[in-house]
């Protein structure tokens, strides 16, 4: 079983709608999604936030969400006030949390390959657009289902536009999937 690094959990954080001063203080006592976004100008970042806003409001069993973004607190305030005012989000402008949890930078295929262009058309069709690009253009996204310090499930991105099927997040489906660790069941 994998765990969130202690350095992340104990780190002091700033952001939007946070419930405590450290990263760990912002994780509830039940399974929750920690979503590491690309820079806030990314079309796929916008698509992810919008899709998760819709899923979380329409699916009662959907886990609480904590976003992490590699931009300033001010940039996050502007972004989330527009796209999801109620969202909890942690600013990580130096991307140290990304490094600690091993959300790496992408290669050419992951950042601009053919699948990325097909995904961009999908995102555009949903009404999403590109914004001002941030400092971390090469950063990949990451999604983790966690229970406090335990990582129960993760989505391994094939490319920056590879969005998980949010309806199949473990705990939102009647039966756990093969990727879910059966040692810890949702509350």
């Amino acid at each position: 079983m994998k765990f969130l690094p202690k350095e992340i959990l104990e780190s002091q954080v700033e952001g939007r709608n946070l419930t405590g001063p450290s990263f760990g203080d912002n994780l509830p006592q039940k399974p929750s999604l920690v979503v590491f976004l690309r820079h806030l100008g990314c079309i796929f970042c916008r698509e992810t936030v919008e899709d998760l806003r819709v899923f979380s409001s329409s699916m009662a069993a959907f886990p609480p969400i904590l976003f992490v973004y590699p931009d300033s607190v001010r940039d996050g305030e502007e972004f989330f006030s527009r796209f999801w005012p109620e969202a909890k989000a942690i600013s990580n402008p130096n991307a140290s949390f990304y490094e600690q949890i091993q959300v790496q930078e992408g290669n050419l295929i992951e950042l601009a390959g053919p699948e990325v262009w097909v995904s961009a058309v999908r995102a555009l069709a949903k009404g999403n657009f590109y914004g001002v690009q941030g400092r971390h253009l090469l950063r990949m996204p990451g999604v983790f289902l966690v229970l406090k310090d335990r990582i129960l499930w993760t989505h391994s991105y094939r490319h920056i536009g590879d969005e998980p099927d949010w309806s199949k997040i473990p705990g939102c489906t009647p039966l756990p999937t093969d990727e879910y660790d059966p040692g810890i069941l949702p509350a």
Side-chain angles (χ1 to χ4, degrees):
M1 175 183 301
K2 295 182 180 179
F3 293 88
L4 286 172
K6 186 176 180 180
E7 298 81 21
I8 289 179
L9 293 170
E10 295 176 350
S11 293
Q12 298 297 300
V13 294
E14 293 183 296
R16 181 178 177 85
N17 298 327
L18 299 178
T19 55
S22 75
F23 194 109
D25 292 336
N26 289 282
L27 295 173
Q29 295 292 330
K30 60 183 180 177
S32 60
L33 276 181
V34 179
V35 180
F36 284 79
L37 299 169
R38 294 189 72 235
H39 64 87
L40 297 178
C42 174
I43 190 172
F44 303 117
C45 169
R46 292 162 184 239
E47 178 185 33
T48 295
V49 170
E50 178 63 21
D51 288 351
L52 285 172
R53 186 184 61 76
V54 170
F55 266 98
S56 68
S57 66
S58 64
M59 189 180 291
F62 206 79
I65 302 163
L66 176 62
F67 292 103
V68 180
Y69 60 94
D71 294 291
S72 71
V73 172
R74 186 174 141 262
D75 291 339
E77 284 293 329
E78 291 174 12
F79 178 87
F80 285 103
S81 65
R82 180 175 172 201
F83 292 99
W84 192 358
E86 301 81 22
K88 287 176 59 174
I90 292 174
S91 170
N92 186 225
N94 64 1
S96 61
F97 298 152
Y98 290 75
E99 292 295 328
Q100 291 168 338
I101 201 159
Q102 299 178 350
V103 175
Q104 303 297 324
E105 292 185 345
N107 62 37
L108 185 60
I109 297 296
E110 292 169 328
L111 298 169
E115 288 182 287
V116 175
W117 293 103
V118 171
S119 298
V121 170
R122 177 198 67 221
L124 284 166
K126 291 180 182 179
N128 297 291
F129 298 97
Y130 289 97
V132 177
Q133 295 186 352
R135 292 180 17 212
H136 299 280
L137 296 176
L138 304 179
R139 185 65 56 192
M140 292 290 289
V143 176
F144 302 87
L145 181 68
V146 303
L147 179 58
K148 281 312 233 178
D149 65 341
R150 296 181 190 128
I151 298 174
L152 307 175
W153 172 88
T154 185
H155 176 70
S156 298
Y157 281 82
R158 294 184 335 264
H159 55 82
I160 59 174
D162 176 28
E163 189 170 88
D165 183 347
W166 301 115
S167 67
K168 295 202 170 41
I169 298 290
C172 296
T173 56
L175 298 172
T177 66
D178 293 336
E179 298 174 316
Y180 189 71
D181 180 5
I184 302 173
L185 297 175

